Amino acid sequence: MTTALITHDAFDGHVTPDGMPERVARLEAVRAALEDLDLLRVEAPLATDDDVTTLHTEGHVARIRASVPQSGFAALDSETFLAPGSEEAAFRAVGGALKAVDMVMAKEVKNAFVAARPPGHHAEQATPMGFCIFGNVALAARHAMDAHGLDRVAVVDFDVHHGNGTQALLWDEPRALVVTSHQMPLWPGTGYPDERGPHDTIVNVPLAPGTDGGAMRAAYTQQVFPRLRAFRPELILISAGFDAHAADPLAQLRWVEGDFAWVTRELCALAAELCDSRVVSCLEGGYDLDALGASARAHVLELMEAP
Ligand SMILES: [Zn+2]
């Protein structure tokens, strides 16, 4: 079976002000890096309000719609902006993640990579944050439970920043195991190991600045994979941020392309062992364009090679 690449030109309508690291050129770099690969290319559909309000408040959705400017930019906070095309992009970013779940659950594809903007893992119930509008991956996890009846869904977030939004959106959800590795200290400042949730389904793996691929692999082998095995997920969702790369300007970890390939390969092997190989991966961060393209390519090549 093949790997789906779910994306949409409308993501390029989510323009951000000059100088912002989360920018249109990121997705252009990812698309260019994947251009020659034999992937099933699928357009990301629009999510509905009902899809989004499973985890976000109606007030949050209304605020986003009301804030979209006719021209120029509207600032939601000091780094999260809306442009005229941002509403469509945000709803397609959710829709792409949900579509990926549907395709993988229906066995139309082995696994899927959702190349979308805006990213999602910092958005909380009623708060856009850190370039993120809606919690794409958390909403996909919820969709897998609601629409496909899954009882156990795992989210693995290897973006260099703590996935505070995914953690907040799934905090009370016993059917979701949320594992996030991230540099600490680093914005947003959350993600301590004692943040475990009421059902002990939140797993935070902080990594010191300078952590290289070897130390990362040890942390995943010792702290992440045993928790995944014990949880026995029926689907593994990946929040694939590539800003733990040594070249990334926003953080100080020292992973390289081969490290993203390794963690992807290991997660796909676990998925083959535990959940019929079902993996859905969604783009989060990654701000050095060359490193982002090369790392996303390494990640997708492993999805394609997955057992
Ligand atoms: Zn990040």
Side-chain angles (χ1 to χ4, degrees), residues 121-122 159-161 243 285-287:
H121 73 151
H122 295 307
D159 188 280
V160 79
H161 301 96
D243 41 9
Y287 303 99

Coordinates of all heavy atoms in Angstrom, one line a residue, residues 121-122 159-161 243 285-287, ligand 1:
H121 N -0.1 22.4 17.2 CA 0.0 21.7 18.5 C 0.1 22.7 19.7 O 0.1 22.3 20.8 CB 1.2 20.8 18.5 CG 2.5 21.4 18.5 ND1 3.6 20.8 19.1 CD2 3.0 22.5 18.0 CE1 4.7 21.5 18.9 NE2 4.3 22.6 18.2
H122 N 0.1 24.0 19.4 CA 0.1 25.0 20.6 C -1.3 25.5 20.8 O -1.5 26.2 21.8 CB 1.0 26.2 20.3 CG 2.5 25.8 20.2 ND1 3.1 25.1 21.2 CD2 3.4 26.0 19.2 CE1 4.4 24.9 20.9 NE2 4.6 25.4 19.7
D159 N 8.2 17.6 17.7 CA 8.5 19.1 17.5 C 9.4 19.5 18.7 O 9.2 19.0 19.8 CB 7.2 19.9 17.5 CG 7.5 21.3 17.1 OD1 7.9 22.1 18.0 OD2 7.3 21.7 15.9
V160 N 10.3 20.5 18.5 CA 11.2 20.9 19.5 C 10.5 21.6 20.7 O 11.1 21.8 21.8 CB 12.4 21.7 19.0 CG1 12.0 23.2 18.7 CG2 13.6 21.6 19.8
H161 N 9.3 22.2 20.4 CA 8.6 22.9 21.4 C 7.5 22.0 22.0 O 7.0 21.1 21.4 CB 7.8 24.1 20.8 CG 8.8 25.1 20.1 ND1 9.1 25.0 18.8 CD2 9.5 26.1 20.6 CE1 9.9 26.0 18.5 NE2 10.2 26.6 19.6
D243 N 11.9 21.2 13.9 CA 12.7 22.3 14.5 C 13.6 21.8 15.6 O 14.4 22.6 16.2 CB 11.8 23.4 15.0 CG 10.6 23.0 15.7 OD1 10.4 21.8 15.9 OD2 9.7 23.8 16.0
G285 N 6.3 22.3 13.3 CA 7.3 23.4 13.0 C 8.4 22.9 12.1 O 8.4 21.9 11.5
G286 N 9.5 23.8 12.1 CA 10.6 23.6 11.3 C 10.9 24.8 10.5 O 10.1 25.2 9.6
Y287 N 11.9 25.6 10.8 CA 12.1 26.9 10.3 C 13.3 27.2 9.5 O 13.5 28.3 9.0 CB 11.9 27.9 11.5 CG 10.6 27.6 12.2 CD1 10.5 26.8 13.3 CD2 9.4 28.0 11.6 CE1 9.2 26.5 13.9 CE2 8.1 27.7 12.2 CZ 8.1 27.0 13.3 OH 6.9 26.6 13.8
Ligands
ZN1 ZN 8.1 23.9 17.2

